[in-house]
Amino acid sequence: MPNDTRKFPADNDNLSRFLGGSPLGVAFRLILLSTLVGVMLAAVGFDPWNIVQSIRLLVERVWNLGFDAINGLWRYFLLGAVVVVPIWLLSRVFGAPR
């Protein structure tokens, strides 16, 4: 009905709509999310007092990790090739005639 009065004041409704929920609920979610993201960033090595240096170190570590992964992949390839290539060669030499 067009002439009904609202139960909540308009200011609280506008604030809730702006925040995306009740102010207390939004504050709780922001605190929880900030803590979780902070733990994840601390695990990666970020420092809140020197964020630029932390980002540079992160990029450097990821870069080095990429080359370490290639080095590890190369070692796995060589280890597998020591077994696979001789078996393949023996199967070709002593294989059934075509």
Side-chain angles (χ1 to χ4, degrees):
M1 295 185 192
N3 292 331
D4 286 342
T5 58
R6 296 182 150 217
K7 294 181 182 178
F8 300 109
D11 291 335
N12 190 18
D13 188 36
N14 288 334
L15 181 63
S16 294
R17 190 172 61 225
F18 174 74
L19 293 176
S22 70
L24 189 59
V26 171
F28 177 74
R29 286 185 297 209
L30 286 175
I31 289 169
L32 182 65
L33 187 62
S34 295
T35 303
L36 291 174
V37 170
V39 167
M40 291 182 346
L41 290 176
V44 172
F46 274 84
D47 180 18
W49 305 115
N50 195 355
I51 194 76
V52 174
Q53 179 70 11
S54 296
I55 291 172
R56 189 190 67 74
L57 282 173
L58 175 66
V59 169
E60 184 178 320
R61 288 177 184 156
V62 169
W63 180 268
N64 291 335
L65 180 65
F67 286 113
D68 286 343
I70 292 171
N71 186 27
L73 186 63
W74 177 249
R75 292 181 64 164
Y76 288 141
F77 166 74
L78 289 178
L79 182 62
V82 167
V83 174
V84 170
V85 171
I87 292 175
W88 172 80
L89 186 61
L90 288 173
S91 70
R92 299 304 292 170
V93 170
F94 296 111
R98 289 176 226 186

